[in-house]
Amino acid sequence: MSKRAIYLAPLSVFLLMAVYFAIGLTKDPKILPSALIDKPVPEFSLPPIDNGTPQGYGKGFSSADLKAGGISVVNVFASWCLPCRTEHPFVTKLAKMKVAKVYGLNFKDAPKYSLKWLKELGDPYDAIGADPKGRVGIDWGVYGIPETFIVDGAGKIRFKYVGPMNGDILENQILPVIEKLKR
Amino acid sequence: MKTGLILLAPLLGLLWTAPALFLSTAPAWAVNPDEMLADPLLEKRAREISKVLRCLVCQNQSIDDSDADLAKDLRIIVRQRLTAGDSDTAVIDYVVARYGDFVLLKPPFKGATLVLWLGPAVIAGLGLWAMVVFLRRHSGQGGGPGDRQGGGTQAATGARAASRPRPAPLTEDEKKRLAKLLKEDGR
């Protein structure tokens, strides 16, 4: 081993760590990898939102709907969730494109407020299921809403986005995954 | 005796309120009484499990410590699974299946975490190896037992002394000059 190599060793160790930290520290620790990617959706059956009528509001949906073939997007939202409000126009935009069925999972919400929220902002969802206790949400590994899942025709979760969707994320992350699954 | 108690009373009162003072900044006691199981053995197991599970909202607290809504839900799920007869590992697996390894405060030892677990030991080993190589090389070059700094036992100082050229002994002229200077200094 030459002497010069020894003098270069600290520098190379430093550079290695610099690269490591440059990548590691720019990652958002709040965003977790989903344990459910490429796994089948959990078994569940959600009722519609209780609006006082026997049939309720929003039809409700279950794991069977997600396995019926065709791509679905499951968007976890609640009226108490402020980022959900900023995300809402993009969920609407996605639903209008008709590239996938868009389901709303109404997470730990009071029917009164979720109905008001949907009336005010509009209801983009093909179906809404109410999860007032959050148990189905936990089965989906939900920890911070809004969260958006993309499920393939066979009922496998293929993609998850945590946080409010915006135009950029819709164009560059959500739609490409749907396009890829269509092929 | 009685006066002693009276004197103690304000102190005890202070002790009693002290936690409340802390509570104004720290989160409230996380495990609420209404969540606890009637069976103390099951409750004890539930507490132990809750301590190893991370609250995903606050991230560096366990669900046992956290007052977050999700932590509360998970605590209740842990207790429901235990009451249903699940083993401790089954309960933990149930949560890991939904939230991944990150939900465990102590990362598991497996392929993906090998670097995490063995990295520090490998780096320490490399450092030790480098140190041994360095010291051996330098003590071999003349830091032997006759070394003025303390010989082979104090390899580190010996090595440092050995790496510098040894100064030449004083000439007669220099010795005379030194004696003269010392004498002047003494006066």
Side-chain angles (χ1 to χ4, degrees):
Chain A
M1 209 192 310
S2 82
K3 264 238 155 80
R4 199 161 293 171
I6 286 179
Y7 292 134
L8 282 176
L11 183 70
S12 46
V13 168
F14 168 76
L15 286 176
L16 205 75
M17 287 176 84
V19 169
Y20 185 78
F21 286 132
I23 298 167
L25 293 178
T26 48
K27 283 185 175 174
D28 186 351
K30 288 263 166 207
I31 293 171
L32 308 179
S34 174
L36 292 167
I37 297 292
D38 292 332
K39 300 237 170 76
V41 292
E43 288 300 318
F44 70 94
S45 177
L46 286 174
I49 300 173
D50 178 16
N51 64 350
T53 66
Q55 73 272 18
Y57 178 87
K59 296 194 275 242
F61 68 104
S62 69
S63 34
D65 292 319
L66 302 179
K67 289 174 187 166
I71 298 155
S72 16
V73 172
V74 177
N75 178 242
V76 188
F77 77 103
S79 66
W80 48 263
C81 150
L82 209 58
C84 295
R85 194 170 267 270
T86 66
E87 177 187 67
H88 187 272
F90 302 100
V91 177
T92 310
K93 193 175 167 192
L94 174 65
K96 277 192 181 144
M97 290 171 136
K98 301 270 174 222
V99 287
K101 282 218 157 173
V102 180
Y103 294 94
L105 199 161
N106 190 215
F107 186 68
K108 297 186 92 168
D109 210 354
K112 192 176 120 192
Y113 296 116
S114 40
L115 290 170
K116 197 179 151 213
W117 196 80
L118 289 164
K119 205 173 170 190
E120 184 198 330
L121 298 173
D123 175 4
Y125 301 108
D126 290 300
I128 300 173
D131 183 21
K133 290 235 152 73
R135 282 305 290 267
V136 172
I138 285 174
D139 284 343
W140 280 77
V142 167
Y143 67 94
I145 67 170
E147 291 187 15
T148 305
F149 296 84
I150 299 176
V151 180
D152 69 14
K156 256 190 193 165
I157 297 172
R158 301 298 289 269
F159 181 83
K160 176 185 185 181
Y161 182 78
V162 179
M165 215 194 297
N166 57 30
D168 174 51
I169 285 149
L170 182 63
E171 290 291 325
N172 297 318
Q173 295 196 40
I174 308 281
L175 290 175
V177 174
I178 295 174
E179 280 305 309
K180 218 174 99 193
L181 290 177
K182 285 228 149 136
R183 266 184 260 127
Chain B
M1 191 61 204
K2 212 172 179 184
T3 48
L5 268 180
I6 288 165
L7 281 173
L8 267 176
L11 253 175
L12 282 173
L14 204 70
L15 275 177
W16 187 252
T17 49
L21 291 174
F22 282 109
L23 283 185
S24 55
T25 48
W29 302 121
V31 183
N32 299 321
D34 62 302
E35 293 170 12
M36 288 182 185
L37 297 172
D39 183 345
L41 254 167
L42 274 186
E43 176 62 25
K44 199 174 166 235
R45 278 171 62 201
R47 292 297 299 269
E48 291 307 314
I49 293 169
S50 303
K51 277 176 194 154
V52 302
L53 295 176
R54 185 192 302 272
C55 162
L56 292 146
V57 182
C58 12
Q59 299 213 346
N60 280 329
Q61 270 186 316
S62 70
I63 62 165
D64 194 53
D65 288 333
S66 171
D67 208 25
D69 219 31
L70 182 69
K72 184 187 164 77
D73 292 345
L74 284 174
R75 280 198 300 272
I76 291 169
I77 286 173
V78 163
R79 281 162 175 80
Q80 282 172 351
R81 308 287 325 168
L82 282 176
T83 322
D86 275 13
S87 70
D88 291 7
T89 42
V91 176
I92 291 171
D93 288 348
Y94 178 91
V95 182
V96 169
R98 281 152 185 79
Y99 289 99
D101 285 338
F102 187 72
V103 82
L104 300 170
L105 281 166
K106 186 178 167 186
F109 189 81
K110 61 183 208 181
T113 57
L114 268 184
V115 176
L116 180 71
W117 279 101
L118 301 179
V122 168
I123 290 170
L126 277 175
L128 205 71
W129 171 79
M131 201 169 82
V132 166
V133 165
F134 178 83
L135 292 179
R136 253 209 212 136
R137 186 181 300 165
H138 287 268
S139 62
Q141 272 179 6
D147 189 85
R148 231 185 283 162
Q149 297 279 338
T153 48
Q154 286 183 348
T157 47
R160 197 190 290 167
S163 61
R164 282 200 305 265
R166 196 66 54 77
L170 299 178
T171 61
E172 279 307 307
D173 276 354
E174 282 169 338
K175 274 182 186 164
K176 268 182 201 157
R177 213 177 134 219
L178 179 66
K180 200 182 151 202
L181 282 171
L182 284 172
K183 218 172 149 193
E184 269 173 24
D185 205 37
R187 209 179 283 161

